[in-house]
Amino acid sequence: MKQTVLKVQGMSCGHCVNAIQAALKEAGVSGTVDLEAGLVTVEYNEGSVNPAEVIAAIEEQGYEAAILE
């Protein structure tokens, strides 16, 4: 399993956390959302999904996401 931390802009409430978690589940990854820090830590199988697909799933929910460097 690979772990990547994403910076997500636009999260402000519990609904946002739920939307992000649903997007992660839909993308086939597990993760945790840190609302205060604006970070999402995802764990995924590199053979099944890549970070760009996870970012796309989050952005479909209306948030901006990028890999935290």
Side-chain angles (χ1 to χ4, degrees):
M1 292 293 259
K2 176 134 173 128
Q3 185 175 40
T4 299
V5 178
L6 304 174
K7 178 71 175 169
V8 180
Q9 296 181 345
M11 297 188 301
S12 61
C13 63
H15 171 74
C16 297
V17 172
N18 291 338
I20 296 292
Q21 288 175 334
L24 295 178
K25 184 175 182 180
E26 184 176 308
V29 301
S30 62
T32 57
V33 180
D34 183 340
L35 182 61
E36 285 185 23
L39 301 176
V40 177
T41 303
V42 294
E43 291 186 5
Y44 57 95
N45 181 336
E46 290 181 279
S48 300
V49 67
N50 65 54
E53 293 170 315
V54 177
I55 289 170
I58 292 171
E59 290 183 342
E60 284 179 14
Q61 298 299 314
Y63 305 95
E64 292 183 33
I67 295 173
L68 186 65
E69 298 290 331

